[in-house]
Amino acid sequence: MEPIFALLVGALFTVAIYLFLSKHIIRVLMGAAILSNGVNLLIFTAGRVTREVPPIIPHGADTLTGAAANPLPQALILTAIVISFSFFAFLLVLSYRTFHELKTDDSDEMRVAEPVGEPVPPLGY
Amino acid sequence: MAVEGAGLQDFSAVYVLQPVAAADWLVVAPVVWCILMGAVLLMLRKRTDLQPLIAIPALVVLALMTLGLLAHVLTSGTVTMTMGRWLPPFGISFTADLLGAFFAATSSLVALATGIYGRSDVDDSGRRYGFYPFLMLMMAGIIGAFLTGDIFNLYVWFEVLLISSFGLLVLGSERLQLDGGIKYAFLNLIATTLFLVATGYLYGLFGTLNMADIAVKASELRGTAPLMTLVALYLLAFAMKAAAFPVNFWLPASYHTPRLAVGGIFAGLLTKVGVYALLRILGMLFPVEREELSFIIAVAAALTMVLGVLGAMAQNDMRRAMGYLVISGIGMMMAGLALGSPAGLSGAIFYAAHSMVVMTALYFAVGIGAQLGGDFRLTASGGLYARSAAISALTLMLFFSVAGLPPFSGFWPKVMLVKASLDIGAWWLAAAMLLTGFLTTITVARIWVLAYWRPAKSEAEETAIVAPPAVGAVVALVGLVALTTAAGVWPEPLVVLAQDAARGLIDPSSYILSVFPGEAAQ
């Protein structure tokens, strides 16, 4: 199972990086969403992928008896999903507002904060 | 409650039965307080008259809490508090060692100054956008990052401070802010995602996320696990957070767009959280891998500081020049990390604390200067000295401090770092530091000469003050200048503090003992 997951994570990362290289912020945003999903799968894989029983200690025993699924990655991924989803929502709104204010979603044309051809500081007075 | 019978392993020690000592509550109190007050302020968001009246006393209490925590850590060593009474590595722990407590105390003083400065700088619309609630929540994230003892929680606190900083950055939603904000937001999101990637690998390798547990297990796994890959990923993620060359371009694109109070606290604190994470993870958890990477870190550090200050020299806008000076300072701290010796790390810690205070104060000084003269551009400004000699003198003191000239606080960490790099024969790193100091002196001297010393364009403008600075803004500036001057003329306690904090990083045994008190008995 792990090799398939590893390949999937690699594919998601590749797509995300390809999208990050785009000039258009909406594509970068898609890349961010895909990357966060890739990372979640990565954590899932890192916490071992197994179909075994849930980690419940049977009555009368003190420890787990056999192989069991690891519950911690799920907790980590749940936190990461909540955070990355809220970020995605915020960035979507921010991109939308920026698109409306600046009339472009091309990052090359977003030069309001850093205008091209600024004057150099005076060299004497 | 203890587990009876013959288990494979006796885990009964993980139950903590004795109550937490009252003083230990200080470890979590600052974070809890920030979130609580942030929530209260958020509820009263529309009562803009009440906001500073609640927030400033709340920040005073926060400063007292973190100073109390620092005093507690100084007297009784590293303090740990574990959530849910489950001892680590099962529970999540907050661990305040000297480094974390020192940074938390400094940052809460800076936040207090920002709160006072923001009273006049942030108008009603900015308050309605939520300046004070975001400030409190961002402080929760920053102090949480300084005090947490768990790497996944470090990620969570990074996100807490990041989402609040997005809110602060677009306070008012001007075109300029949206343009700067979008670059800041995207690049910081990618950096935290990289951090999460590294943390996922770390969990896969170690099976634990507790920093003390990792520090213990790293030596066992070294040789079998690909720790270098992991550490390189962490280095990239945190270097991006700290705005080190070549992943620093989001900072000059965005730091000059928000209000001055926001720009000040960003410049002071946010990049330092990245530096703190570098010191903690590379310096404490993976010292061997840091040693392997030290040449790369040193080259990045030298380029960061020299190219940062060259960028500052080329700017006509004073705020943008300050943004580049922030980057240049990050180079100094990275150099300390690259050296890795006790002297290098303590220099980096001292420099980070100095930079928190001075960079925030510089943004405030520039803001007050622009209020007096009405412009941030060097080509258009002049005659500030004639308008207010006192403000000009305070600004000059800050310029001396950022350039590393005595008797201000920038001088001592620079001496420590130059000496530390000469000690190991890294003459080129020492040369880069001295060259940076020289170029910084030129940059700030030119700003002072053009904007402050140069007479105004016309006689009528000479003494005309565009807007008198508010009392609160001046109080905040004077407070921060007093801090940097005091640290400059009486540096011994801070040097000792930084050296002890660096020793705690190099030999984390007290950190580990504090998290695993059970192992002390064995």
Side-chain angles (χ1 to χ4, degrees):
Chain A
M1 223 28 201
E2 271 94 350
I4 301 171
F5 267 75
L7 287 175
L8 179 61
V9 169
L12 288 175
F13 274 36
T14 316
V15 172
I17 290 168
Y18 173 72
L19 287 171
F20 282 153
L21 298 176
S22 169
K23 282 184 199 170
H24 294 277
I25 50 174
I26 191 69
R27 288 167 67 98
V28 180
L29 193 61
M30 291 299 155
I34 291 173
L35 186 69
S36 69
N37 280 306
V39 177
N40 291 338
L41 283 178
L42 185 148
I43 299 175
F44 192 62
T45 317
R48 77 195 139 83
V49 181
T50 165
R51 304 192 286 118
E52 303 300 325
V53 286
I56 297 170
I57 298 168
H59 186 71
D62 289 329
T63 50
L64 284 170
T65 41
N70 187 354
L72 191 64
Q74 299 175 24
L76 301 182
I77 293 167
L78 182 62
T79 315
I81 286 175
V82 172
I83 291 173
S84 61
F85 186 73
S86 64
F87 264 53
F88 181 76
F90 179 86
L91 286 180
L92 196 60
V93 175
L94 185 68
S95 311
Y96 181 73
R97 266 305 291 274
T98 315
F99 176 67
H100 266 251
E101 292 280 329
L102 305 180
K103 305 278 183 268
T104 177
D105 85 325
D106 186 334
S107 49
D108 274 358
E109 288 167 23
M110 292 185 182
R111 307 295 308 192
V112 186
E114 299 169 276
V116 184
E118 277 179 288
V120 293
L123 299 172
Y125 76 91
Chain B
M1 223 177 176
V3 178
E4 297 295 330
L8 288 173
Q9 223 177 325
D10 184 19
F11 281 130
S12 58
V14 303
Y15 295 106
V16 186
L17 292 177
Q18 62 276 55
V20 180
D24 289 0
W25 282 98
L26 278 174
V27 181
V28 289
V31 179
V32 175
W33 177 250
C34 284
I35 295 176
L36 187 71
M37 291 318 289
V40 168
L41 288 167
L42 201 59
M43 285 189 282
L44 299 170
R45 195 164 59 94
K46 289 185 177 151
R47 294 293 307 275
T48 50
D49 49 334
L50 276 181
Q51 294 264 330
L53 294 183
I54 301 173
I56 292 170
L59 287 166
V60 172
V61 173
L62 174 69
L64 290 177
M65 277 176 179
T66 50
L67 287 172
L69 175 65
L70 180 61
H72 182 50
V73 171
L74 274 173
T75 49
S76 53
T78 310
V79 194
T80 300
M81 187 170 168
T82 302
M83 310 301 139
R85 310 212 306 175
W86 284 82
L87 271 199
F90 297 102
I92 293 165
S93 49
F94 259 52
T95 308
D97 69 342
L98 208 46
L99 175 68
F102 180 38
F103 278 6
T106 317
S107 60
S108 65
L109 289 176
V110 171
L112 175 60
T114 309
I116 297 172
Y117 185 86
R119 197 173 162 271
S120 57
D121 184 55
V122 180
D123 53 8
D124 264 7
S125 94
R127 284 182 203 166
R128 205 165 292 126
Y129 264 90
F131 171 70
Y132 282 108
F134 281 137
L135 179 65
M136 289 309 281
L137 293 172
M138 192 175 82
M139 284 316 291
I142 290 171
I143 293 180
F146 286 152
L147 297 183
T148 186
D150 182 282
I151 291 187
F152 193 78
N153 269 269
L154 184 65
Y155 161 75
V156 175
W157 292 120
F158 260 96
E159 302 284 359
V160 169
L161 76 89
L162 203 58
I163 197 94
S164 320
S165 72
F166 290 167
L168 285 175
L169 196 67
V170 293
L171 221 60
S173 303
E174 292 156 19
R175 293 184 74 212
L176 199 68
Q177 294 176 335
L178 290 171
D179 186 71
I182 203 145
K183 291 159 193 166
Y184 173 88
F186 273 104
L187 288 171
N188 271 287
L189 180 68
I190 293 171
T192 39
T193 311
L194 272 178
F195 176 20
L196 188 60
V197 171
T199 305
Y201 283 133
L202 181 87
Y203 176 69
L205 289 177
F206 285 84
T208 178
L209 292 160
N210 188 292
M211 291 190 197
D213 210 17
I214 290 166
V216 175
K217 286 182 179 161
S219 51
E220 297 164 18
L221 279 174
R222 200 162 278 133
T224 54
L227 291 188
M228 274 302 284
T229 316
L230 188 66
V231 175
L233 258 176
Y234 272 124
L235 175 64
L236 178 63
F238 292 135
M240 209 160 162
K241 286 273 160 206
F245 183 82
V247 281
N248 58 355
F249 293 102
W250 56 271
L251 194 151
S254 61
Y255 268 28
H256 61 290
T257 59
R259 288 165 209 244
L260 263 304
V262 175
I265 194 162
F266 278 22
L269 300 185
L270 293 192
T271 47
K272 273 39 152 221
V273 184
V275 170
Y276 166 80
L278 277 174
L279 287 172
R280 178 68 77 204
I281 290 185
L282 268 68
M284 185 173 101
L285 302 185
F286 301 109
V288 177
E289 286 74 20
R290 187 210 54 75
E291 188 67 46
E292 296 266 310
L293 284 169
S294 64
F295 183 71
I296 295 171
I297 304 175
V299 171
L303 286 173
T304 308
M305 60 178 110
V306 175
L307 294 176
V309 73
L310 286 177
M313 283 182 98
Q315 299 307 315
N316 188 32
D317 185 312
M318 283 193 270
R319 285 175 301 177
R320 297 197 66 187
M322 294 306 136
Y324 279 99
L325 287 182
V326 174
I327 297 176
S328 175
I330 294 299
M332 294 291 291
M333 294 163 225
M334 296 273 289
L337 178 75
L339 294 168
S341 56
L345 286 178
S346 55
I349 292 166
F350 193 169
Y351 199 95
H354 144 81
S355 178
M356 282 183 194
V357 173
V358 171
M359 288 319 305
T360 311
L362 271 174
Y363 270 80
F364 292 177
V366 165
I368 294 175
Q371 254 183 342
L372 287 171
D375 215 310
F376 287 110
R377 286 167 301 165
L378 289 177
T379 37
S381 54
L384 290 178
Y385 187 80
R387 293 191 181 105
S388 172
I391 296 291
S392 307
L394 288 172
T395 312
L396 187 63
M397 286 157 96
L398 288 171
F399 283 169
F400 267 57
S401 189
V402 76
L405 300 174
F408 299 101
S409 62
F411 177 66
W412 301 105
K414 198 165 266 187
V415 169
M416 288 158 83
L417 285 168
V418 169
K419 185 174 179 306
S421 43
L422 287 177
D423 279 348
I424 62 157
W427 57 268
W428 54 274
L429 196 56
M433 289 175 198
L434 295 175
L435 177 69
T436 308
F438 176 62
L439 293 177
T440 313
T441 314
I442 293 179
T443 310
V444 293
R446 186 169 65 188
I447 293 177
W448 204 78
V449 165
L450 288 174
Y452 291 82
W453 196 244
R454 180 170 67 164
K457 289 263 159 55
S458 64
E459 285 291 320
E461 272 183 45
E462 187 63 45
T463 48
I465 290 175
V466 176
V471 180
V474 178
V475 167
L477 181 65
V478 169
L480 291 178
V481 172
L483 275 181
T484 170
T485 315
V489 293
W490 193 39
E492 288 92 341
L494 287 177
V495 172
V496 172
L497 191 67
Q499 279 170 346
D500 285 347
R503 213 168 292 130
L505 280 182
I506 290 167
D507 175 22
S509 55
S510 80
Y511 192 95
I512 295 166
L513 271 186
S514 160
V515 179
F516 297 107
E519 287 179 15
Q522 285 166 14

